[in-house]
Amino acid sequence: MGRVFVEQFKEFLGKIAGFLPNLLTSLVLFVAGLLIAWLIKSVIVRLAAFLKMDAVSERTGIVQVLQKGGIKEPVSRLAGRLIYWVVLISFIIMGLDALQMPAVENLLGTFLLYLPNVIVACAIIVSGYLLGNFLGRAVLIGAVNAGLPIAGLLGKFVKFTVFIMAVTMSLELLGIGKDTVIIGFAILFGGVVLALSIAFGLGGKDAAKDYIDRMLREKKEEDDIKHI
Amino acid sequence: MSVILREEVIQRLGEIGEADILVGIPSFNNADSIGHVVRAVQAGVAKYFPDKKAILINSDGGSGDGTREVVERVIIDDFQPLLINQRQDLLSKIVTPYHGIAGKGSAFRTVFQIAKELNVKACAVVDSDLRSITPEWIELLIRPVLERNFDFVAPYYLRHKYDGTITNSIVYPVTRALYGKRIRQPIGGDFGFSGKLAEFYLTRDVWDTDVARFGIDIWMTTTAVANNFKVCQSFLGAKIHSPKEPSSDLSAMLMQVVSALFNLMEEYPGQWKEVKSTSPVPLFGFQFSVGLEPVKVNIERMINMFKLGMTELGDLWKVILSTESLSGLQETAKTEPFSFGDDLWARVIYDYALAWHGKVMKGEHMLKTLTPLYLGKVASLVIEMADTTAGKVEERIEALCIAFEKLKPYLIDKWE
């Protein structure tokens, strides 16, 4: 009885002894990850400052977008922080992998397979938001300069359509309610177009008539001014 | 020899050696109009500079309608009907496609390069779609350079009081206030200049920028003024072009002109900040005026565009304009009859220049939001000038220029 207990204890100690190097490796990787992530973050922040990333972001409208989302940090620091976490998470994953525990390995495998989708989905949403804003603004300005009274509506329509399309693509990529989202989007988009057509065709037929009349009249009454 | 000239052109220049006068004509698909321009140049050179060695350069953008063939073929055989004594040697012509980005600027670069290679004393450039060019234009653009030592001759056209509104309301007041020279038509398009200035133009590193595409006119004028070249103007009479494509969109045109103006502000801040007053520029030529023909102007449409901008572009203008300008615009929208003040307009334009300098938004978007404001100002000017004569119109433009000059300290103060 005592010998069985001793054998079991020895086996346990053997496993612990076998596991300790893995644990140590894992801890070393974690600490190294912390240091390297901090180092890379510092380099990125300085490089971003050298490349005037904050000024460029302000010019391209990225800062305004982030501010609307409640993020007030400079883009250079944000980029540094993002890189910090990517590097640190990579080291944590390596550290967990170094533990060589089957349950952790399985979990990691699943997580790692899904992670790229999450990153790409986030990138699509951010790009969709920026592109939506950009195109919406371009359409708004173009429509105002063309004298279209529905310029504001057109600008918003383009902006939200692009954003909703980006969200739909992201959700599809993540596999969340795959078919439901696509069908939902199609119904919503088709519905909006149909509703607008009906509203314009029936409800706003007089307004549409007035508008077309005015357009034709103004076409006839074009200026002879030479601007240049 | 430069890399921008083709081998056969270099060879031809070697044969010619040197020349006194060069006239450049940039072209792209102008077969229907360029013949008249070439004849006017030929007659002008024969009549006014019979003892000078002259050359005509057609710098073409790859026309597919036979423009280059027309230039090669057109010739005045008999000068007697023009009361001009026959020249011993005919005008030399070089017809060449230009190198680089498609645009008038690249075409001019080739002209400048040839002027340099031939050690030319005086040059002129004229548009290829001119219907109203006469031989006198060549004299008026060339003689101030050859005989009065001017380096740059800007054109002064006879125009309808409602024409040239971008020039009258933006380009002239801004260039005058900034650089201190009262050049009435800085973006005229037909210029005279010395060989020395042509060589100076070539040294500027702008040939891969928008200057090569559009904006060469304001660039030539500003470069001459900002670098203290001796400038003057010549009265050329009316400028009539071939009818333009209807697709020439106002907001794109405005964006091109204003972006060129603002880019030059970025290039010469040291010069324009130092200018404290303006001075007149000599004007040559026999001035005359003609009766004003009625011109169709849809003021209601312009005011409606301004009001639509007020409704829809407010959020974007908040990023571009100062609070004083925004409140001034709100007051303007309520005026009856409609009136857009000069002080407000000057502030609006300076705010746009500052926003361009600060790069607060994508440049194209920013400048296209100027269109409704510009139309508002044009509507206001047209209302004010409805019953005025050409002389009174000049007084009105003078008042507008003074508003820009008075507000210049605001621009300088905010620039940094």
Side-chain angles (χ1 to χ4, degrees), chain A residues 43-127:
Chain A
V43 172
I44 291 290
V45 169
R46 272 174 205 173
L47 189 72
F50 176 73
L51 296 172
K52 299 195 169 88
M53 193 191 224
D54 291 332
V56 173
S57 312
E58 202 160 340
R59 212 161 54 223
T60 49
I62 295 172
V63 171
Q64 290 86 330
V65 171
L66 292 173
Q67 278 175 349
K68 273 186 191 169
I71 301 166
K72 297 208 165 35
E73 259 188 312
V75 174
S76 56
R77 203 177 296 171
L78 210 64
R81 190 178 284 190
L82 185 73
I83 299 291
Y84 174 85
W85 281 106
V86 168
V87 174
L88 187 61
I89 288 170
S90 308
F91 273 88
I92 290 173
I93 289 165
M94 283 193 281
L96 289 174
D97 197 38
L99 291 174
Q100 290 179 0
M101 291 167 71
V104 175
E105 277 174 4
N106 285 341
L107 201 69
L108 270 179
T110 315
F111 175 70
L112 284 175
L113 279 175
Y114 199 62
L115 192 63
N117 289 352
V118 175
I119 293 169
V120 173
C122 288
I124 290 174
I125 289 177
V126 172
S127 310

Side-chain angles (χ1 to χ4, degrees), chain B residues 169-189:
Chain B
S169 63
I170 302 175
V171 184
Y172 173 49
V174 172
T175 38
R176 170 177 155 159
L178 291 181
Y179 304 102
K181 294 285 178 199
R182 295 180 201 161
I183 298 179
R184 185 63 184 82
Q185 282 155 13
I187 51 173

Side-chain angles (χ1 to χ4, degrees), chain A residues 58-59 64 134 137-138 140-141 144-145 147-149 151-152 218 220-228, chain B residues 159 162-166 251 257 296-298 301 305 308 312 316 359 361-362 365 368 371-372 374:
Chain A
E58 202 160 340
R59 212 161 54 223
Q64 290 86 330
F134 183 84
R137 193 164 70 185
L140 169 70
I141 296 167
V144 167
N145 288 342
L148 298 177
E218 283 182 353
K220 275 185 221 153
E221 293 168 11
E222 289 236 322
D223 300 320
D224 281 343
I225 284 185
K226 293 182 183 74
H227 292 274
I228 288 282
Chain B
R159 306 202 72 173
Y162 296 154
D163 279 348
T165 38
I166 294 179
S251 63
V257 173
K296 267 193 290 178
V297 188
N298 191 343
R301 190 183 67 95
M305 292 275 280
L308 181 63
E312 302 293 350
L316 296 175
K359 299 183 171 65
M361 195 186 288
K362 183 178 159 57
H365 284 183
K368 285 192 170 174
T371 308
Y374 163 76

Side-chain angles (χ1 to χ4, degrees), chain B residues 68-82:
Chain B
R68 283 180 280 173
E69 289 74 13
V70 172
V71 178
E72 298 270 20
R73 197 177 57 233
V74 163
I75 198 160
I76 301 177
D77 293 324
D78 184 7
F79 285 98
Q80 291 312 312
L82 297 169

Side-chain angles (χ1 to χ4, degrees), chain B residues 272-307:
Chain B
W272 61 258
K273 279 185 195 170
E274 293 304 314
V275 173
K276 304 288 181 221
S277 60
T278 66
S279 58
V281 171
L283 175 61
F284 299 112
F286 185 75
Q287 289 182 67
F288 58 92
S289 60
V290 290
L292 291 173
E293 286 174 22
V295 162
K296 267 193 290 178
V297 188
N298 191 343
I299 298 173
E300 188 196 340
R301 190 183 67 95
M302 290 182 188
I303 297 172
N304 285 342
M305 292 275 280
F306 170 77
K307 288 184 177 167

Side-chain angles (χ1 to χ4, degrees), chain A residues 127-138:
Chain A
S127 310
Y129 186 79
L130 291 173
L131 188 69
N133 270 343
F134 183 84
L135 293 178
R137 193 164 70 185

